[in-house]
Amino acid sequence: MSEDAKPRASDEELVQRFRNSKNRPRSSQTLGFDLLAINQDEQWVEIAFTATDDMLNPTGRVQGGFLCAMLDEALSIAGQVASGMTHIMSTLEQKTSFLAAAKPGRLVARGRVTRLGRTVVFLEGEIRDSDGKVCATATATALPVEYKRNKPA
Amino acid sequence: MSEDAKPRASDEELVQRFRNSKNRPRSSQTLGFDLLAINQDEQWVEIAFTATDDMLNPTGRVQGGFLCAMLDEALSIAGQVASGMTHIMSTLEQKTSFLAAAKPGRLVARGRVTRLGRTVVFLEGEIRDSDGKVCATATATALPVEYKRNKPA
């Protein structure tokens, strides 16, 4: 979906664009969104989140839905970046597998593009705790929606 | 999983037990958990949640992960109730379909038991906005875990 005519922003420029954004969505703020790395060639992004005490289930671990929310952000942004920053992802469905309990604190998610189609995008990723243990994996199907207000790099 | 030897609490008694609980999980508090109804014979529960501005994505709608979190609570409690309040549900995986955008405010989820096995429980449900429109549906697979501290009714 990217137009080859205009020069592509570098990975680092895109990271800074996300980090310096003044319009960070409320959901991202709530989840402690912190974009760490982007690799446009390999179509992945890496984002840190912070699981707070407000997200804990009765066993003191992160309620799975909040891991879904973090993964949704990582997968969606992987698709947005892979589109050349011309489209946002409207998630149609997400399947999340809860491999291990996550303690509150810093969690790092990686989102990847499985297939970038014109009308449908397939995404996948996982989220790890500070020991590198995978707590949850996800796959998602999304609809790319043109982002009219996007400014070219 | 319930033991027929002891008398079962009525649906209304169970609703009150949830509503009066002093140990409400933090995740439930964050999601504005408000248990509305339980039907033990039909194995479903109905729970209202409140989507706050803190859960909104860039389009001003509820980020899908928070709908996953609400559905996770509704499905898990449907399983817990169906077990005779002897087991909590450890969700292994959840697939959520996002049928329509959800605005902030009150949302009502219904969780149902598809199959209550001894080692695996299959769950399903949906979440509706104040107009009754289904915003998301979910299916989940869960592991029933005996709740040692459970007090019989």
Side-chain angles (χ1 to χ4, degrees), chain A residues 25-27 30 53-54 56 58 63 65 69 73 91-98, chain B residues 25-27 30 53-54 56 58 63 65 69 73 91-98:
Chain A
R26 293 292 296 271
S27 59
T30 301
D53 289 348
D54 286 338
L56 301 186
Q63 201 259 32
E73 303 242 333
T91 308
L92 300 176
E93 57 83 29
Q94 181 175 317
K95 158 83 153 66
T96 311
S97 296
F98 304 101
Chain B
R26 292 292 296 271
S27 59
T30 301
D53 289 348
D54 287 337
L56 301 186
Q63 201 259 31
E73 303 243 333
T91 308
L92 300 176
E93 57 83 29
Q94 181 174 316
K95 156 85 152 66
T96 311
S97 296
F98 305 101

PDB file of all heavy atoms in Angstrom, chain A residues 25-27 30 53-54 56 58 63 65 69 73 91-98, chain B residues 25-27 30 53-54 56 58 63 65 69 73 91-98:
ATOM      1  N   PRO A  25      -3.234   7.872  21.798  1.00  0.00           N
ATOM      2  CA  PRO A  25      -4.585   7.435  22.204  1.00  0.00           C
ATOM      3  C   PRO A  25      -4.643   7.123  23.697  1.00  0.00           C
ATOM      4  O   PRO A  25      -3.667   6.670  24.287  1.00  0.00           O
ATOM      5  CB  PRO A  25      -4.805   6.159  21.383  1.00  0.00           C
ATOM      6  CG  PRO A  25      -3.837   6.233  20.267  1.00  0.00           C
ATOM      7  CD  PRO A  25      -2.661   7.022  20.764  1.00  0.00           C
ATOM      8  N   ARG A  26      -5.822   7.361  24.280  1.00  0.00           N
ATOM      9  CA  ARG A  26      -6.008   7.103  25.702  1.00  0.00           C
ATOM     10  C   ARG A  26      -5.743   5.638  26.052  1.00  0.00           C
ATOM     11  O   ARG A  26      -5.178   5.334  27.101  1.00  0.00           O
ATOM     12  CB  ARG A  26      -7.445   7.475  26.119  1.00  0.00           C
ATOM     13  CG  ARG A  26      -7.741   8.973  26.028  1.00  0.00           C
ATOM     14  CD  ARG A  26      -6.960   9.757  27.069  1.00  0.00           C
ATOM     15  NE  ARG A  26      -7.346   9.418  28.415  1.00  0.00           N
ATOM     16  CZ  ARG A  26      -8.326  10.008  29.093  1.00  0.00           C
ATOM     17  NH1 ARG A  26      -8.996  10.981  28.543  1.00  0.00           N
ATOM     18  NH2 ARG A  26      -8.604   9.637  30.330  1.00  0.00           N
ATOM     19  N   SER A  27      -6.169   4.725  25.172  1.00  0.00           N
ATOM     20  CA  SER A  27      -5.944   3.299  25.448  1.00  0.00           C
ATOM     21  C   SER A  27      -4.443   3.014  25.549  1.00  0.00           C
ATOM     22  O   SER A  27      -4.005   2.247  26.411  1.00  0.00           O
ATOM     23  CB  SER A  27      -6.586   2.431  24.365  1.00  0.00           C
ATOM     24  OG  SER A  27      -6.058   2.741  23.088  1.00  0.00           O
ATOM     25  N   THR A  30      -3.163   4.251  28.872  1.00  0.00           N
ATOM     26  CA  THR A  30      -3.594   3.372  29.957  1.00  0.00           C
ATOM     27  C   THR A  30      -2.711   2.131  30.050  1.00  0.00           C
ATOM     28  O   THR A  30      -2.440   1.609  31.128  1.00  0.00           O
ATOM     29  CB  THR A  30      -5.065   2.961  29.735  1.00  0.00           C
ATOM     30  OG1 THR A  30      -5.861   4.145  29.705  1.00  0.00           O
ATOM     31  CG2 THR A  30      -5.567   2.022  30.823  1.00  0.00           C
ATOM     32  N   ASP A  53      -1.378  -2.587  38.764  1.00  0.00           N
ATOM     33  CA  ASP A  53      -2.208  -3.338  39.712  1.00  0.00           C
ATOM     34  C   ASP A  53      -3.684  -3.299  39.328  1.00  0.00           C
ATOM     35  O   ASP A  53      -4.453  -4.191  39.703  1.00  0.00           O
ATOM     36  CB  ASP A  53      -2.034  -2.770  41.129  1.00  0.00           C
ATOM     37  CG  ASP A  53      -0.656  -3.096  41.703  1.00  0.00           C
ATOM     38  OD1 ASP A  53       0.054  -3.935  41.111  1.00  0.00           O
ATOM     39  OD2 ASP A  53      -0.289  -2.498  42.728  1.00  0.00           O
ATOM     40  N   ASP A  54      -4.073  -2.262  38.584  1.00  0.00           N
ATOM     41  CA  ASP A  54      -5.469  -2.136  38.151  1.00  0.00           C
ATOM     42  C   ASP A  54      -5.878  -3.215  37.160  1.00  0.00           C
ATOM     43  O   ASP A  54      -7.053  -3.307  36.795  1.00  0.00           O
ATOM     44  CB  ASP A  54      -5.695  -0.773  37.469  1.00  0.00           C
ATOM     45  CG  ASP A  54      -5.717   0.361  38.470  1.00  0.00           C
ATOM     46  OD1 ASP A  54      -5.983   0.095  39.659  1.00  0.00           O
ATOM     47  OD2 ASP A  54      -5.464   1.508  38.053  1.00  0.00           O
ATOM     48  N   LEU A  56      -5.069  -6.560  37.522  1.00  0.00           N
ATOM     49  CA  LEU A  56      -4.836  -7.890  38.099  1.00  0.00           C
ATOM     50  C   LEU A  56      -6.117  -8.664  38.379  1.00  0.00           C
ATOM     51  O   LEU A  56      -7.118  -8.101  38.820  1.00  0.00           O
ATOM     52  CB  LEU A  56      -4.016  -7.761  39.372  1.00  0.00           C
ATOM     53  CG  LEU A  56      -2.647  -7.092  39.186  1.00  0.00           C
ATOM     54  CD1 LEU A  56      -1.853  -7.148  40.473  1.00  0.00           C
ATOM     55  CD2 LEU A  56      -1.863  -7.720  38.036  1.00  0.00           C
ATOM     56  N   PRO A  58      -7.979 -12.219  40.311  1.00  0.00           N
ATOM     57  CA  PRO A  58      -7.958 -12.630  41.724  1.00  0.00           C
ATOM     58  C   PRO A  58      -6.673 -13.357  42.148  1.00  0.00           C
ATOM     59  O   PRO A  58      -6.366 -13.412  43.329  1.00  0.00           O
ATOM     60  CB  PRO A  58      -9.172 -13.576  41.836  1.00  0.00           C
ATOM     61  CG  PRO A  58     -10.069 -13.169  40.731  1.00  0.00           C
ATOM     62  CD  PRO A  58      -9.184 -12.722  39.617  1.00  0.00           C
ATOM     63  N   GLN A  63      -4.969  -9.906  34.189  1.00  0.00           N
ATOM     64  CA  GLN A  63      -6.169 -10.462  33.557  1.00  0.00           C
ATOM     65  C   GLN A  63      -5.910 -10.514  32.055  1.00  0.00           C
ATOM     66  O   GLN A  63      -5.411  -9.551  31.456  1.00  0.00           O
ATOM     67  CB  GLN A  63      -7.360  -9.543  33.904  1.00  0.00           C
ATOM     68  CG  GLN A  63      -8.713 -10.211  33.764  1.00  0.00           C
ATOM     69  CD  GLN A  63      -9.399  -9.816  32.471  1.00  0.00           C
ATOM     70  OE1 GLN A  63      -8.739  -9.578  31.471  1.00  0.00           O
ATOM     71  NE2 GLN A  63     -10.706  -9.789  32.487  1.00  0.00           N
ATOM     72  N   GLY A  65      -7.439 -10.215  29.316  1.00  0.00           N
ATOM     73  CA  GLY A  65      -7.941  -9.207  28.392  1.00  0.00           C
ATOM     74  C   GLY A  65      -6.978  -8.039  28.226  1.00  0.00           C
ATOM     75  O   GLY A  65      -6.894  -7.452  27.140  1.00  0.00           O
ATOM     76  N   ALA A  69      -5.310  -6.499  24.916  1.00  0.00           N
ATOM     77  CA  ALA A  69      -5.283  -5.074  24.562  1.00  0.00           C
ATOM     78  C   ALA A  69      -3.876  -4.659  24.130  1.00  0.00           C
ATOM     79  O   ALA A  69      -3.699  -3.932  23.152  1.00  0.00           O
ATOM     80  CB  ALA A  69      -5.769  -4.239  25.743  1.00  0.00           C
ATOM     81  N   GLU A  73      -2.606  -3.539  20.241  1.00  0.00           N
ATOM     82  CA  GLU A  73      -1.844  -2.337  19.874  1.00  0.00           C
ATOM     83  C   GLU A  73      -0.602  -2.713  19.049  1.00  0.00           C
ATOM     84  O   GLU A  73      -0.305  -2.080  18.036  1.00  0.00           O
ATOM     85  CB  GLU A  73      -1.403  -1.579  21.140  1.00  0.00           C
ATOM     86  CG  GLU A  73      -2.559  -1.181  22.036  1.00  0.00           C
ATOM     87  CD  GLU A  73      -2.740   0.319  22.242  1.00  0.00           C
ATOM     88  OE1 GLU A  73      -1.759   1.065  22.152  1.00  0.00           O
ATOM     89  OE2 GLU A  73      -3.901   0.740  22.474  1.00  0.00           O
ATOM     90  N   THR A  91      -9.238  -3.889  13.568  1.00  0.00           N
ATOM     91  CA  THR A  91      -9.161  -5.323  13.884  1.00  0.00           C
ATOM     92  C   THR A  91     -10.539  -5.964  13.763  1.00  0.00           C
ATOM     93  O   THR A  91     -11.508  -5.497  14.362  1.00  0.00           O
ATOM     94  CB  THR A  91      -8.606  -5.535  15.310  1.00  0.00           C
ATOM     95  OG1 THR A  91      -7.386  -4.801  15.441  1.00  0.00           O
ATOM     96  CG2 THR A  91      -8.343  -7.010  15.573  1.00  0.00           C
ATOM     97  N   LEU A  92     -10.617  -7.034  12.976  1.00  0.00           N
ATOM     98  CA  LEU A  92     -11.877  -7.759  12.812  1.00  0.00           C
ATOM     99  C   LEU A  92     -12.006  -8.866  13.850  1.00  0.00           C
ATOM    100  O   LEU A  92     -13.078  -9.088  14.401  1.00  0.00           O
ATOM    101  CB  LEU A  92     -11.964  -8.357  11.410  1.00  0.00           C
ATOM    102  CG  LEU A  92     -11.894  -7.353  10.253  1.00  0.00           C
ATOM    103  CD1 LEU A  92     -11.884  -8.086   8.923  1.00  0.00           C
ATOM    104  CD2 LEU A  92     -13.058  -6.377  10.318  1.00  0.00           C
ATOM    105  N   GLU A  93     -10.923  -9.582  14.066  1.00  0.00           N
ATOM    106  CA  GLU A  93     -10.936 -10.639  15.085  1.00  0.00           C
ATOM    107  C   GLU A  93      -9.523 -10.867  15.575  1.00  0.00           C
ATOM    108  O   GLU A  93      -8.563 -10.650  14.836  1.00  0.00           O
ATOM    109  CB  GLU A  93     -11.570 -11.928  14.558  1.00  0.00           C
ATOM    110  CG  GLU A  93     -10.921 -12.502  13.328  1.00  0.00           C
ATOM    111  CD  GLU A  93      -9.708 -13.349  13.620  1.00  0.00           C
ATOM    112  OE1 GLU A  93      -9.627 -13.947  14.694  1.00  0.00           O
ATOM    113  OE2 GLU A  93      -8.809 -13.398  12.745  1.00  0.00           O
ATOM    114  N   GLN A  94      -9.428 -11.293  16.819  1.00  0.00           N
ATOM    115  CA  GLN A  94      -8.131 -11.606  17.422  1.00  0.00           C
ATOM    116  C   GLN A  94      -8.268 -12.865  18.257  1.00  0.00           C
ATOM    117  O   GLN A  94      -9.210 -13.008  19.036  1.00  0.00           O
ATOM    118  CB  GLN A  94      -7.638 -10.435  18.284  1.00  0.00           C
ATOM    119  CG  GLN A  94      -6.276 -10.690  18.937  1.00  0.00           C
ATOM    120  CD  GLN A  94      -5.749  -9.475  19.690  1.00  0.00           C
ATOM    121  OE1 GLN A  94      -5.835  -8.348  19.219  1.00  0.00           O
ATOM    122  NE2 GLN A  94      -5.207  -9.697  20.879  1.00  0.00           N
ATOM    123  N   LYS A  95      -7.318 -13.772  18.074  1.00  0.00           N
ATOM    124  CA  LYS A  95      -7.269 -15.016  18.856  1.00  0.00           C
ATOM    125  C   LYS A  95      -6.023 -14.931  19.709  1.00  0.00           C
ATOM    126  O   LYS A  95      -4.921 -14.788  19.185  1.00  0.00           O
ATOM    127  CB  LYS A  95      -7.208 -16.206  17.898  1.00  0.00           C
ATOM    128  CG  LYS A  95      -6.637 -17.493  18.468  1.00  0.00           C
ATOM    129  CD  LYS A  95      -7.632 -18.321  19.228  1.00  0.00           C
ATOM    130  CE  LYS A  95      -7.248 -19.795  19.182  1.00  0.00           C
ATOM    131  NZ  LYS A  95      -5.983 -20.084  19.901  1.00  0.00           N
ATOM    132  N   THR A  96      -6.205 -15.024  21.014  1.00  0.00           N
ATOM    133  CA  THR A  96      -5.082 -14.902  21.930  1.00  0.00           C
ATOM    134  C   THR A  96      -4.936 -16.186  22.738  1.00  0.00           C
ATOM    135  O   THR A  96      -5.937 -16.697  23.261  1.00  0.00           O
ATOM    136  CB  THR A  96      -5.297 -13.704  22.889  1.00  0.00           C
ATOM    137  OG1 THR A  96      -5.667 -12.556  22.117  1.00  0.00           O
ATOM    138  CG2 THR A  96      -4.046 -13.397  23.678  1.00  0.00           C
ATOM    139  N   SER A  97      -3.724 -16.701  22.823  1.00  0.00           N
ATOM    140  CA  SER A  97      -3.444 -17.885  23.639  1.00  0.00           C
ATOM    141  C   SER A  97      -2.630 -17.455  24.843  1.00  0.00           C
ATOM    142  O   SER A  97      -1.619 -16.753  24.707  1.00  0.00           O
ATOM    143  CB  SER A  97      -2.656 -18.924  22.827  1.00  0.00           C
ATOM    144  OG  SER A  97      -3.432 -19.391  21.748  1.00  0.00           O
ATOM    145  N   PHE A  98      -3.077 -17.879  26.029  1.00  0.00           N
ATOM    146  CA  PHE A  98      -2.442 -17.457  27.274  1.00  0.00           C
ATOM    147  C   PHE A  98      -1.502 -18.563  27.738  1.00  0.00           C
ATOM    148  O   PHE A  98      -1.923 -19.517  28.391  1.00  0.00           O
ATOM    149  CB  PHE A  98      -3.507 -17.130  28.312  1.00  0.00           C
ATOM    150  CG  PHE A  98      -4.492 -16.092  27.814  1.00  0.00           C
ATOM    151  CD1 PHE A  98      -5.743 -16.460  27.339  1.00  0.00           C
ATOM    152  CD2 PHE A  98      -4.143 -14.754  27.767  1.00  0.00           C
ATOM    153  CE1 PHE A  98      -6.635 -15.526  26.850  1.00  0.00           C
ATOM    154  CE2 PHE A  98      -5.028 -13.798  27.274  1.00  0.00           C
ATOM    155  CZ  PHE A  98      -6.272 -14.184  26.808  1.00  0.00           C
TER     156      PHE A  98
ATOM    157  N   PRO B  25     -11.799  -8.320  42.357  1.00  0.00           N
ATOM    158  CA  PRO B  25     -10.482  -8.170  41.709  1.00  0.00           C
ATOM    159  C   PRO B  25     -10.304  -6.776  41.122  1.00  0.00           C
ATOM    160  O   PRO B  25     -11.262  -6.143  40.673  1.00  0.00           O
ATOM    161  CB  PRO B  25     -10.523  -9.218  40.594  1.00  0.00           C
ATOM    162  CG  PRO B  25     -11.585 -10.180  40.988  1.00  0.00           C
ATOM    163  CD  PRO B  25     -12.579  -9.421  41.788  1.00  0.00           C
ATOM    164  N   ARG B  26      -9.048  -6.318  41.103  1.00  0.00           N
ATOM    165  CA  ARG B  26      -8.743  -4.994  40.572  1.00  0.00           C
ATOM    166  C   ARG B  26      -9.161  -4.869  39.113  1.00  0.00           C
ATOM    167  O   ARG B  26      -9.650  -3.829  38.683  1.00  0.00           O
ATOM    168  CB  ARG B  26      -7.235  -4.717  40.715  1.00  0.00           C
ATOM    169  CG  ARG B  26      -6.776  -4.572  42.158  1.00  0.00           C
ATOM    170  CD  ARG B  26      -7.327  -3.319  42.813  1.00  0.00           C
ATOM    171  NE  ARG B  26      -6.837  -2.109  42.188  1.00  0.00           N
ATOM    172  CZ  ARG B  26      -5.719  -1.473  42.526  1.00  0.00           C
ATOM    173  NH1 ARG B  26      -4.992  -1.936  43.527  1.00  0.00           N
ATOM    174  NH2 ARG B  26      -5.334  -0.380  41.906  1.00  0.00           N
ATOM    175  N   SER B  27      -8.952  -5.948  38.340  1.00  0.00           N
ATOM    176  CA  SER B  27      -9.327  -5.890  36.925  1.00  0.00           C
ATOM    177  C   SER B  27     -10.829  -5.647  36.783  1.00  0.00           C
ATOM    178  O   SER B  27     -11.263  -4.880  35.920  1.00  0.00           O
ATOM    179  CB  SER B  27      -8.931  -7.183  36.202  1.00  0.00           C
ATOM    180  OG  SER B  27      -9.548  -8.316  36.795  1.00  0.00           O
ATOM    181  N   THR B  30     -11.589  -2.025  37.511  1.00  0.00           N
ATOM    182  CA  THR B  30     -11.157  -1.171  36.394  1.00  0.00           C
ATOM    183  C   THR B  30     -12.180  -1.191  35.263  1.00  0.00           C
ATOM    184  O   THR B  30     -12.382  -0.186  34.577  1.00  0.00           O
ATOM    185  CB  THR B  30      -9.782  -1.654  35.883  1.00  0.00           C
ATOM    186  OG1 THR B  30      -8.848  -1.584  36.959  1.00  0.00           O
ATOM    187  CG2 THR B  30      -9.288  -0.814  34.714  1.00  0.00           C
ATOM    188  N   ASP B  53     -13.164   6.700  29.190  1.00  0.00           N
ATOM    189  CA  ASP B  53     -12.332   7.392  28.191  1.00  0.00           C
ATOM    190  C   ASP B  53     -10.919   6.830  28.150  1.00  0.00           C
ATOM    191  O   ASP B  53     -10.228   6.944  27.121  1.00  0.00           O
ATOM    192  CB  ASP B  53     -12.290   8.895  28.510  1.00  0.00           C
ATOM    193  CG  ASP B  53     -13.626   9.574  28.235  1.00  0.00           C
ATOM    194  OD1 ASP B  53     -14.495   8.951  27.602  1.00  0.00           O
ATOM    195  OD2 ASP B  53     -13.794  10.726  28.666  1.00  0.00           O
ATOM    196  N   ASP B  54     -10.476   6.232  29.247  1.00  0.00           N
ATOM    197  CA  ASP B  54      -9.126   5.654  29.307  1.00  0.00           C
ATOM    198  C   ASP B  54      -8.975   4.445  28.387  1.00  0.00           C
ATOM    199  O   ASP B  54      -7.871   3.930  28.220  1.00  0.00           O
ATOM    200  CB  ASP B  54      -8.809   5.193  30.739  1.00  0.00           C
ATOM    201  CG  ASP B  54      -8.556   6.359  31.667  1.00  0.00           C
ATOM    202  OD1 ASP B  54      -8.203   7.446  31.173  1.00  0.00           O
ATOM    203  OD2 ASP B  54      -8.704   6.174  32.889  1.00  0.00           O
ATOM    204  N   LEU B  56     -10.164   4.329  25.147  1.00  0.00           N
ATOM    205  CA  LEU B  56     -10.502   4.687  23.760  1.00  0.00           C
ATOM    206  C   LEU B  56      -9.305   4.658  22.809  1.00  0.00           C
ATOM    207  O   LEU B  56      -8.202   5.073  23.164  1.00  0.00           O
ATOM    208  CB  LEU B  56     -11.171   6.059  23.736  1.00  0.00           C
ATOM    209  CG  LEU B  56     -12.450   6.163  24.572  1.00  0.00           C
ATOM    210  CD1 LEU B  56     -13.102   7.525  24.350  1.00  0.00           C
ATOM    211  CD2 LEU B  56     -13.424   5.048  24.238  1.00  0.00           C
ATOM    212  N   PRO B  58      -7.710   5.699  18.779  1.00  0.00           N
ATOM    213  CA  PRO B  58      -7.624   7.011  18.111  1.00  0.00           C
ATOM    214  C   PRO B  58      -8.939   7.455  17.459  1.00  0.00           C
ATOM    215  O   PRO B  58      -9.135   8.637  17.218  1.00  0.00           O
ATOM    216  CB  PRO B  58      -6.548   6.782  17.042  1.00  0.00           C
ATOM    217  CG  PRO B  58      -5.719   5.664  17.554  1.00  0.00           C
ATOM    218  CD  PRO B  58      -6.668   4.773  18.302  1.00  0.00           C
ATOM    219  N   GLN B  63     -11.062   0.519  22.514  1.00  0.00           N
ATOM    220  CA  GLN B  63     -10.013  -0.352  21.956  1.00  0.00           C
ATOM    221  C   GLN B  63     -10.437  -1.796  22.205  1.00  0.00           C
ATOM    222  O   GLN B  63     -10.872  -2.141  23.312  1.00  0.00           O
ATOM    223  CB  GLN B  63      -8.687  -0.002  22.648  1.00  0.00           C
ATOM    224  CG  GLN B  63      -7.443  -0.423  21.881  1.00  0.00           C
ATOM    225  CD  GLN B  63      -6.852  -1.714  22.445  1.00  0.00           C
ATOM    226  OE1 GLN B  63      -7.590  -2.568  22.953  1.00  0.00           O
ATOM    227  NE2 GLN B  63      -5.558  -1.857  22.323  1.00  0.00           N
ATOM    228  N   GLY B  65      -9.173  -4.614  22.837  1.00  0.00           N
ATOM    229  CA  GLY B  65      -8.651  -5.407  23.938  1.00  0.00           C
ATOM    230  C   GLY B  65      -9.464  -5.252  25.209  1.00  0.00           C
ATOM    231  O   GLY B  65      -9.587  -6.199  26.001  1.00  0.00           O
ATOM    232  N   ALA B  69     -11.266  -8.006  27.510  1.00  0.00           N
ATOM    233  CA  ALA B  69     -11.153  -8.107  28.968  1.00  0.00           C
ATOM    234  C   ALA B  69     -12.531  -8.275  29.611  1.00  0.00           C
ATOM    235  O   ALA B  69     -12.712  -9.090  30.521  1.00  0.00           O
ATOM    236  CB  ALA B  69     -10.445  -6.871  29.524  1.00  0.00           C
ATOM    237  N   GLU B  73     -14.053 -11.732  31.566  1.00  0.00           N
ATOM    238  CA  GLU B  73     -14.697 -11.774  32.894  1.00  0.00           C
ATOM    239  C   GLU B  73     -16.055 -12.487  32.806  1.00  0.00           C
ATOM    240  O   GLU B  73     -16.376 -13.339  33.637  1.00  0.00           O
ATOM    241  CB  GLU B  73     -14.895 -10.352  33.442  1.00  0.00           C
ATOM    242  CG  GLU B  73     -13.612  -9.554  33.539  1.00  0.00           C
ATOM    243  CD  GLU B  73     -13.211  -9.132  34.945  1.00  0.00           C
ATOM    244  OE1 GLU B  73     -14.093  -8.976  35.799  1.00  0.00           O
ATOM    245  OE2 GLU B  73     -12.007  -8.972  35.189  1.00  0.00           O
ATOM    246  N   THR B  91      -8.279 -19.148  31.747  1.00  0.00           N
ATOM    247  CA  THR B  91      -8.507 -19.080  30.303  1.00  0.00           C
ATOM    248  C   THR B  91      -7.234 -19.483  29.545  1.00  0.00           C
ATOM    249  O   THR B  91      -6.160 -18.939  29.795  1.00  0.00           O
ATOM    250  CB  THR B  91      -8.926 -17.655  29.890  1.00  0.00           C
ATOM    251  OG1 THR B  91     -10.017 -17.242  30.710  1.00  0.00           O
ATOM    252  CG2 THR B  91      -9.347 -17.610  28.428  1.00  0.00           C
ATOM    253  N   LEU B  92      -7.386 -20.448  28.648  1.00  0.00           N
ATOM    254  CA  LEU B  92      -6.251 -20.895  27.836  1.00  0.00           C
ATOM    255  C   LEU B  92      -6.160 -20.092  26.551  1.00  0.00           C
ATOM    256  O   LEU B  92      -5.071 -19.735  26.101  1.00  0.00           O
ATOM    257  CB  LEU B  92      -6.393 -22.386  27.503  1.00  0.00           C
ATOM    258  CG  LEU B  92      -6.446 -23.329  28.697  1.00  0.00           C
ATOM    259  CD1 LEU B  92      -6.688 -24.761  28.231  1.00  0.00           C
ATOM    260  CD2 LEU B  92      -5.157 -23.243  29.511  1.00  0.00           C
ATOM    261  N   GLU B  93      -7.284 -19.859  25.929  1.00  0.00           N
ATOM    262  CA  GLU B  93      -7.296 -19.044  24.708  1.00  0.00           C
ATOM    263  C   GLU B  93      -8.671 -18.430  24.542  1.00  0.00           C
ATOM    264  O   GLU B  93      -9.675 -18.981  24.990  1.00  0.00           O
ATOM    265  CB  GLU B  93      -6.903 -19.862  23.477  1.00  0.00           C
ATOM    266  CG  GLU B  93      -7.757 -21.078  23.207  1.00  0.00           C
ATOM    267  CD  GLU B  93      -9.031 -20.783  22.463  1.00  0.00           C
ATOM    268  OE1 GLU B  93      -9.048 -19.812  21.696  1.00  0.00           O
ATOM    269  OE2 GLU B  93     -10.023 -21.507  22.672  1.00  0.00           O
ATOM    270  N   GLN B  94      -8.702 -17.273  23.896  1.00  0.00           N
ATOM    271  CA  GLN B  94      -9.951 -16.567  23.620  1.00  0.00           C
ATOM    272  C   GLN B  94      -9.896 -15.982  22.219  1.00  0.00           C
ATOM    273  O   GLN B  94      -8.905 -15.374  21.832  1.00  0.00           O
ATOM    274  CB  GLN B  94     -10.185 -15.453  24.649  1.00  0.00           C
ATOM    275  CG  GLN B  94     -11.496 -14.700  24.433  1.00  0.00           C
ATOM    276  CD  GLN B  94     -11.781 -13.691  25.544  1.00  0.00           C
ATOM    277  OE1 GLN B  94     -11.616 -13.983  26.727  1.00  0.00           O
ATOM    278  NE2 GLN B  94     -12.201 -12.499  25.173  1.00  0.00           N
ATOM    279  N   LYS B  95     -10.960 -16.202  21.471  1.00  0.00           N
ATOM    280  CA  LYS B  95     -11.076 -15.640  20.120  1.00  0.00           C
ATOM    281  C   LYS B  95     -12.210 -14.630  20.172  1.00  0.00           C
ATOM    282  O   LYS B  95     -13.336 -14.969  20.534  1.00  0.00           O
ATOM    283  CB  LYS B  95     -11.397 -16.766  19.134  1.00  0.00           C
ATOM    284  CG  LYS B  95     -12.087 -16.358  17.844  1.00  0.00           C
ATOM    285  CD  LYS B  95     -11.114 -15.904  16.781  1.00  0.00           C
ATOM    286  CE  LYS B  95     -11.703 -16.166  15.396  1.00  0.00           C
ATOM    287  NZ  LYS B  95     -12.897 -15.339  15.106  1.00  0.00           N
ATOM    288  N   THR B  96     -11.910 -13.399  19.834  1.00  0.00           N
ATOM    289  CA  THR B  96     -12.902 -12.336  19.896  1.00  0.00           C
ATOM    290  C   THR B  96     -13.116 -11.750  18.504  1.00  0.00           C
ATOM    291  O   THR B  96     -12.145 -11.464  17.799  1.00  0.00           O
ATOM    292  CB  THR B  96     -12.430 -11.225  20.859  1.00  0.00           C
ATOM    293  OG1 THR B  96     -12.002 -11.829  22.080  1.00  0.00           O
ATOM    294  CG2 THR B  96     -13.548 -10.232  21.147  1.00  0.00           C
ATOM    295  N   SER B  97     -14.362 -11.603  18.119  1.00  0.00           N
ATOM    296  CA  SER B  97     -14.708 -10.982  16.837  1.00  0.00           C
ATOM    297  C   SER B  97     -15.321  -9.618  17.124  1.00  0.00           C
ATOM    298  O   SER B  97     -16.241  -9.510  17.941  1.00  0.00           O
ATOM    299  CB  SER B  97     -15.705 -11.851  16.063  1.00  0.00           C
ATOM    300  OG  SER B  97     -15.110 -13.085  15.719  1.00  0.00           O
ATOM    301  N   PHE B  98     -14.815  -8.596  16.433  1.00  0.00           N
ATOM    302  CA  PHE B  98     -15.258  -7.222  16.684  1.00  0.00           C
ATOM    303  C   PHE B  98     -16.268  -6.837  15.616  1.00  0.00           C
ATOM    304  O   PHE B  98     -15.910  -6.416  14.526  1.00  0.00           O
ATOM    305  CB  PHE B  98     -14.045  -6.302  16.700  1.00  0.00           C
ATOM    306  CG  PHE B  98     -12.992  -6.733  17.689  1.00  0.00           C
ATOM    307  CD1 PHE B  98     -11.860  -7.421  17.288  1.00  0.00           C
ATOM    308  CD2 PHE B  98     -13.169  -6.503  19.048  1.00  0.00           C
ATOM    309  CE1 PHE B  98     -10.912  -7.856  18.201  1.00  0.00           C
ATOM    310  CE2 PHE B  98     -12.229  -6.928  19.978  1.00  0.00           C
ATOM    311  CZ  PHE B  98     -11.099  -7.614  19.545  1.00  0.00           C
TER     312      PHE B  98
END
